[in-house]
Amino acid sequence: MTHEAVIPASSRKVSAATQAFLEAPQGLRIGSDTDREGSTGTTFDSIDPTTERTLGTIASGSTRDVEDAVAAATKALSAPAWGPASPATRARYLFDLADAVTAHREQLAELETLDMGKPIAQARDDVDGVAAVFRYYGGWPTKLEGSINPVRQPYFGMTQLEPLGVCGAITPWNFPLVMASHKIGPALAAGNTLVLKPAEVSSYSTLLLTDLARGVGLPPGVLNVIPGSGRVVGQAIVDHPDVAKISFTGSTPVGRAILEAGSRHMKKVNVELGGKSANIVFPDADVRAAARGSAEAMWENAGQICVAPTRMFVHEDVYDELVDELARVTGALRIGDPLNPETEVGPLVSKAQYASVREYIDIAGAEGARLRVGGRALDGPGYFVEPTIFTEVHNDMRIAREEVFGPVLTVLRFRTEEEAVALANDSAYDLAAAVWTRDVSRALRMGKALHAGTVWVNTHGRLDPAQSFGGYSKSGNSRELGRESVLSYTRSKAVMIDLSA
Ligand code: NAD
């Protein structure tokens, strides 16, 4: 593993546009305002996790600001350029936003990389994915059809789809832009308006995205963004009586609290939560491909991915071969400044995350897991932790059960298919799973047997806007992307007409 010394902040080069964006104090995006101060006048600093220096200052929202944003979003619902506008008009906004995202690819990627430490090549991929999500949802406004129903005579029955109204969105820090697009795309395609709160530690890219939406003519109040604390801004969005739906992505404990609060207000609440994904390698797999594919999926974003394949189950016949290859690939990773296009692993997002991951590494050692690769938290500046592999792990160890949300992989051994399924399903989280096998029948059996919202075969972590994504049980109650997501931002209304009248 090579760790390039972190370049001093003064010599890190970003575009003039990114520099200017960071130097300007960033305000709330409410209605037509792009730089509104929060009503309390408070701000927070965003810290670059690579250098531990302040990147810039962002206005912090309050309950009062949420009220203003919801009022702006409510007004926009009936604005001629939005509510009554044709579906083709909504489609045009989304297509134009996709083009604007592509045109600002570098600036969005730089902000993401500086703000949360994601290697720039991965940030660029994220931006491309965001444009694809907006293009996909741009196709939906003109296809949201109702139905004529086979009701008894002499009646005519039909069902039509309506937007829900003002929706609230709360996003996590690990994929700020991608998560925002998963909510903005379907919400706007269905004709809603949105009040969105990004995570405190990575708000910048969502603010620029909102400016791009304004730039393509999205009417004021359709998309409002209020940075700030979860307990203040997030809670105020959840509690606001005029917000019809909450779409939350984040940790399981916060998601549970939001579900409880939302149900008190009879809101629709969709939660996308934590994961501890199983990754099973059968003896008939292409072992090198399995090792490389798993490493790529595991170390992306320094392991800070809800679907990261953190629990690897390897058949005893290929265990040594697979672990050797995995250790070799992992040991060759380049850790360093995420702005360097050669970097494969950047820092963790924050000091708190760094401390939490270090603690889990200590816990794994104390539980008796065997350290195979990595294990060191690197000296600062920057919140760097080496990609770390533990072998000889048992499924009842904390390291195998709790979401670490960092670059820590556990490898377990199995003998039979039944044992692999039982181990994989013995988890509180059911977000995703992967299987590596050349046997089609086995792949199909696994697709049925594994408790997970997504099962990948001979690949990992691939999302597509056309395919829904989400978890079971403690990993969530909903689906993002695809048809399911856009429908979740609508409600149906039945109309019945007496034809004999
Ligand atoms: P988090 O739960 O701490 O915070 C998520 C968001 O909720 C942030 O914007 C935060 O400010 C806000 N928030 C915090 N307390 C709140 C409250 N009381 N009321 C309203 N909002 C509140 O999660 P995180 O640390 O930002 O993100 C990491 C977690 O997200 C991991 O558990 C990861 O698995 C999960 N995640 C899940 C998915 C998925 O699709 N299932 C995707 C990405 C991340």
Side-chain angles (χ1 to χ4, degrees):
M1 225 173 291
T2 54
H3 178 225
E4 157 213 301
V6 170
I7 305 164
S10 53
S11 65
R12 302 178 81 212
K13 293 269 182 294
V14 291
S15 64
T18 298
Q19 200 57 46
F21 196 83
L22 293 172
E23 280 169 12
Q26 292 295 331
L28 315 178
R29 273 55 171 179
I30 297 179
S32 54
D33 290 345
T34 52
D35 60 352
R36 193 200 282 207
E37 270 188 32
S39 66
T40 59
T42 51
T43 60
F44 63 96
D45 287 346
S46 192
I47 307 296
D48 180 341
T50 310
T51 61
E52 301 183 40
R53 294 168 65 128
T54 299
L55 278 173
T57 301
I58 300 173
S60 194
S62 66
T63 303
R64 167 77 198 279
D65 297 318
V66 170
E67 282 164 10
D68 288 353
V70 174
T74 304
K75 194 169 160 204
L77 285 172
S78 53
W82 187 248
S86 70
T89 304
R90 293 206 302 280
R92 177 51 50 205
Y93 290 133
L94 285 164
F95 290 137
D96 289 351
L97 179 55
D99 290 345
V101 165
T102 300
H104 291 79
R105 181 182 194 239
E106 204 53 25
Q107 195 186 354
L108 287 163
E110 284 178 353
L111 285 176
E112 207 79 308
T113 292
L114 289 169
D115 213 8
M116 62 88 43
K118 185 186 297 262
I120 189 81
Q122 296 169 21
R124 289 180 185 133
D125 285 349
D126 283 7
V127 176
D128 295 343
V130 166
V133 167
F134 290 138
R135 289 205 174 92
Y136 172 79
Y137 281 110
W140 269 104
T142 51
K143 281 123 200 137
L144 282 171
E145 295 169 345
S147 60
I148 293 173
N149 307 320
V151 297
R152 65 181 178 276
Q153 293 300 322
Y155 298 100
F156 177 86
M158 65 178 184
T159 302
Q160 59 201 35
L161 294 179
E162 297 178 341
L164 297 170
V166 178
C167 297
I170 300 172
T171 52
W173 48 257
N174 63 334
F175 282 87
L177 275 177
V178 173
M179 294 295 112
S181 74
H182 286 191
K183 300 177 192 312
I184 295 169
L188 269 47
N192 300 279
T193 58
L194 204 58
V195 178
L196 187 153
K197 191 202 90 65
E200 297 91 312
V201 288
S202 57
S203 302
Y204 273 118
S205 58
T206 308
L207 293 172
L208 177 59
L209 179 66
T210 311
D211 295 349
L212 298 179
R214 302 277 175 79
V216 301
L218 194 73
V222 173
L223 174 60
N224 308 275
V225 174
I226 310 187
S229 130
R231 273 189 300 250
V232 177
V233 178
Q235 193 70 53
I237 295 173
V238 172
D239 287 341
H240 199 295
D242 296 340
V243 173
K245 165 175 171 159
I246 300 292
S247 174
F248 169 83
T249 303
S251 63
T252 298
V254 176
R256 185 183 291 117
I258 288 178
L259 263 174
E260 283 166 9
S263 66
R264 277 199 297 279
H265 299 283
M266 306 290 280
K267 287 184 205 301
K268 199 166 181 177
V269 183
N270 285 2
V271 293
E272 302 279 342
L273 309 174
K276 191 79 186 170
S277 297
N279 183 23
I280 307 173
V281 183
F282 285 102
D284 59 71
D286 177 338
V287 173
R288 279 169 69 87
R292 284 161 186 220
S294 302
E296 194 184 314
M298 184 59 224
W299 310 128
E300 187 190 341
N301 211 20
Q304 302 164 114
I305 304 188
C306 54
V307 295
T310 50
R311 289 187 307 143
M312 194 158 190
F313 300 95
V314 185
H315 190 273
E316 58 183 1
D317 289 355
V318 291
Y319 186 91
D320 290 340
E321 185 189 351
L322 184 126
V323 173
D324 285 349
E325 178 66 4
L326 193 63
R328 198 190 59 72
V329 173
T330 303
L333 289 169
R334 282 181 300 261
I335 310 172
D337 185 342
L339 273 181
N340 180 344
E342 306 279 295
T343 293
E344 291 163 299
V345 182
L348 301 190
V349 72
S350 65
K351 199 170 193 165
Q353 199 60 21
Y354 173 78
S356 163
V357 171
R358 283 180 69 157
E359 198 182 332
Y360 271 111
I361 290 175
D362 292 344
I363 290 170
E367 282 180 314
R370 185 181 301 161
L371 179 67
R372 171 67 192 249
V373 179
R376 284 186 311 150
L378 303 173
D379 290 339
Y383 309 124
F384 292 91
V385 175
E386 285 182 330
T388 298
I389 300 176
F390 284 106
T391 58
E392 307 311 325
V393 173
H394 300 290
N395 222 21
D396 52 358
M397 292 179 178
R398 279 184 67 190
I399 196 71
R401 303 203 76 77
E402 299 176 17
E403 189 182 36
V404 177
F405 222 57
V408 182
L409 168 64
T410 59
V411 190
L412 298 85
R413 209 184 278 264
F414 72 89
R415 285 188 192 82
T416 64
E417 188 176 307
E418 294 70 29
E419 188 191 1
V421 170
L423 286 167
N425 287 345
D426 178 18
S427 169
Y429 295 104
D430 299 319
L431 188 57
V435 176
W436 302 82
T437 178
R438 289 185 174 113
D439 178 337
V440 175
S441 304
R442 196 198 300 268
L444 291 171
R445 278 198 303 277
M446 291 298 107
K448 280 192 172 180
L450 292 171
H451 294 176
T454 298
V455 177
W456 285 291
V457 179
N458 296 331
T459 183
H460 195 289
R462 303 279 169 241
L463 297 187
D464 191 288
Q467 177 132 313
S468 62
F469 168 77
Y472 298 171
S473 63
K474 285 187 184 155
S475 290
N477 68 355
S478 57
R479 295 290 176 267
E480 293 206 311
L481 301 176
R483 171 202 296 266
E484 274 180 88
S485 182
V486 72
L487 291 180
S488 78
Y489 284 92
T490 66
R491 62 185 167 208
S492 67
K493 177 183 280 178
V495 176
M496 203 162 200
I497 303 169
D498 185 345
L499 298 178
S500 66

